[in-house]
């Protein structure tokens, strides 16, 4: 009963104009483009056509009582703006025409009009409302048959059967539409969650790699701070204490870094034995992809110099992922890797041609591109990715690099300290 009140009694006269169609779907693809802006009003045109047809039936049936016969056309037109009120008005008009004719409950015009009203209102509300409307029509028919002035009730059976079939079809369409809407929502949510999960996984991978990079440099700072007093003859106590403080802070920072970033490691994660790759290993990467069937070339412009390890690692991973995508999505294509060393940073570009082999390209979810963008964004760089005019694909990125001291000095200092410490020992 609560559903009955909600569907057919709550806000009976609520103004709910029928909205135009969205202009998308299979139907609109068949309509010429110049007529599509008018085709969105197709439901309104059908309702008005049904209204006109109801009037025509009244003219041929009621003769002198045309006004009474044309009354059923009013609730048909009213379904465009007030659907629930249109149903109750159709029930009232059915009762009026039955009392006026003294012959049948639903004459030709009221029969057609009431059937149209049931279908349109059911389409604009819910399947539950359709069941309530059919039940109300049944109760009206039973009431008029048992206590009304009708002499002919032959229209009751056809009305109940046809309306039940029509409302069943409308209900099925309702359920199917709701299911499609739910599936679309779930797909959207799934896609968003998948992208978010991919982003988190990529950030986890980057955090693992940066942990190793930053931990290495913090270790070098601690070692150099410990070795510095041995490079000065008779260092003052203040200098020794300053280096001790530097080393203690470096060790504390390293410990805290490992504690914070260690949570991103999986339980079964094992740190790699080999050092993290840099651009020095790019030739080996290109050799591997050539063995896999991808013809690739490398072009380097500018003065090659050592870059921060995080920049070289990210650049290597971006090129590696771009070449892997080429192998998967463009079999038989060629790839060109370009590196540009400029004063403000590093520019890289990986472009491949269209697939030319007989192997069918593998579908992808775009996770590789997400990881590339995350790496570039982490380094405050810029990246573009998109298809080329010849059907290939291009990835271009620029990673800014601040001027730093030569990293080889750090490694040399580390080696010299090891030698001096071994000698003192």
């Amino acid at each position: 009963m609560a559903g009955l009140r909600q569907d057919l009694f709550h806000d009976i006269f609520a103004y709910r104009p029928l909205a135009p169609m969205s202009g998308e779907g299979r139907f609109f693809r068949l309509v010429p483009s110049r007529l599509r802006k008018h085709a969105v009003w197709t439901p309104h045109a059908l309702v008005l056509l049904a209204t006109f047809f109801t009037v025509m039936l009244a003219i041929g049936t009621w003769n002198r009582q045309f006004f009474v016969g044309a009354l059923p056309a009013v609730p048909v037109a009213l379904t465009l703006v007030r659907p629930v009120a249109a149903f109750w008005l159709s029930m009232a008009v059915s009762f009026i025409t039955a009392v006026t004719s003294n012959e049948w409950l639903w004459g030709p015009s009221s029969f057609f009009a009431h059937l149209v009203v049931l279908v349109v209102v059911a389409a604009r509300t819910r399947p539950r409302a359709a069941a309530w409307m059919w039940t109300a029509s049944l109760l009206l028919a039973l009431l008029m048959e048992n206590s009304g002035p009708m002499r002919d009730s032959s229209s009751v059976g056809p009305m109940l059967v046809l309306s039940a079939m029509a409302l069943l079809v409308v209900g099925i369409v309702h359920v199917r539409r709701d299911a499609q809407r739910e599936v679309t929502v779930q797909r959207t949510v799934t896609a968003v969650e998948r992208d978010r999960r991919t982003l988190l996984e990529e950030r986890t991978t980057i955090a693992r790699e940066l942990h190793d990079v930053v931990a290495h440099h913090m270790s070098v700072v601690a070692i150099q701070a410990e070795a510095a007093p041995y490079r000065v003859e008779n260092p003052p106590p203040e200098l020794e204490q300053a280096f001790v403080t530097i080393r203690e802070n470096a060790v504390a920072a390293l410990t805290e870094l490992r504690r914070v970033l260690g949570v991103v490691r999986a339980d079964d994660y094992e740190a790699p034995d080999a050092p993290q790759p840099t651009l020095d290993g790019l030739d080996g990467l290109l050799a591997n992809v050539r063995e896999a069937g991808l013809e690739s070339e490398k072009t380097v412009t500018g003065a090659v110099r050592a870059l921060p390890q995080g920049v070289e690692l990210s650049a290597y991973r971006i090129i590696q992922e771009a070449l892997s995508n080429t192998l998967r999505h463009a079999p038989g294509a060629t790839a060109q890797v370009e590196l540009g060393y400029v004063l403000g940073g590093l520019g890289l570009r990986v472009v491949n041609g269209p697939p030319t082999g007989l192997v069918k390209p593998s579908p992808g979810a775009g996770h590789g591109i997400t990881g590339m963008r995350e790496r570039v964004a982490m380094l405050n760089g810029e990246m573009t990715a998109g298809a080329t005019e010849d059907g290939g694909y291009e990835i271009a990125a620029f990673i800014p690099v601040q001027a730093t001291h030569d990293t080889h000095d750090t490694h040399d200092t580390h080696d010299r300290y090891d030698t001096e410490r071994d000698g003192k020992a």
Side-chain angles (χ1 to χ4, degrees), residues 312-337:
E312 295 216 2
L313 173 62
S314 295
Y316 181 91
R317 294 301 190 197
I318 291 172
I319 296 173
Q320 183 182 41
E321 183 63 30
L323 294 176
S324 299
N325 287 343
T326 302
L327 284 171
R328 288 194 299 267
H329 307 315
T334 59
Q336 180 70 31
V337 179

Side-chain angles (χ1 to χ4, degrees), residues 126-254:
R126 291 181 290 182
R128 185 178 61 184
W132 284 120
M133 290 188 296
W134 187 87
T135 303
S137 301
L138 173 63
L139 293 178
L140 177 62
L142 294 177
L143 176 65
M144 297 301 294
E145 279 188 340
N146 295 327
S147 58
M150 295 185 304
R151 296 189 298 270
D152 184 4
S153 61
S154 61
S155 62
V156 173
M159 166 58 72
L160 296 177
V161 173
L162 289 178
S163 61
M165 295 177 60
L167 294 177
L168 179 61
V169 173
V170 173
I172 293 174
V173 173
H174 258 298
V175 173
R176 183 174 181 271
R177 185 183 304 165
D178 293 341
Q180 288 179 338
R181 188 181 298 111
E182 183 68 22
V183 169
T184 301
V185 172
Q186 291 297 330
R187 287 179 177 175
T188 303
V189 173
T190 301
V192 172
E193 292 297 330
R194 183 172 61 248
D195 293 341
R196 184 179 303 174
R197 184 174 63 252
T198 301
L199 185 61
L200 292 177
E201 291 175 353
E202 188 61 33
R203 288 181 177 177
T204 300
T205 302
I206 295 173
R208 291 173 179 173
E209 295 175 346
L210 285 182
H211 172 271
D212 300 331
V213 173
V214 176
H216 166 73
H217 289 294
M218 294 298 294
S219 299
V220 172
V221 171
I223 293 173
Q224 287 183 338
E226 185 178 358
Y230 296 99
R231 299 179 178 276
V232 181
E233 293 183 0
N234 300 321
E238 294 82 2
L239 182 61
E240 290 185 352
Q241 184 59 38
F243 282 119
V244 169
T245 303
I246 292 174
R247 182 180 183 279
E248 290 177 352
N249 289 332
V251 172
L254 182 60

Side-chain angles (χ1 to χ4, degrees), residues 279 299 311-312 314-319 322 336-341 345-351 372 376 382-384 394-399:
L279 292 177
T299 303
V311 174
E312 295 216 2
S314 295
Y316 181 91
R317 294 301 190 197
I318 291 172
I319 296 173
Q336 180 70 31
V337 179
E338 300 177 4
L339 293 175
Y341 290 84
L346 174 68
L348 60 92
R349 179 173 176 264
V350 182
V351 58
M372 296 181 197
V376 174
E382 297 179 357
M383 172 182 160
T384 60
E394 177 185 13
I395 293 174
F398 178 78
I399 303 175

Side-chain angles (χ1 to χ4, degrees), residues 51 54 69 83 146 165 179 188 205 260 263 271 298 324 353 375 386 403:
T51 304
T54 302
N146 295 327
M165 295 177 60
T188 303
T205 302
V260 174
V263 299
K298 182 182 73 170
S324 299
R375 289 183 180 273

Side-chain angles (χ1 to χ4, degrees), residues 208 262-271:
R208 291 173 179 173
V263 299
V264 302
R265 296 184 183 273
D267 294 337
D268 56 349
Y269 175 78
E270 296 181 0

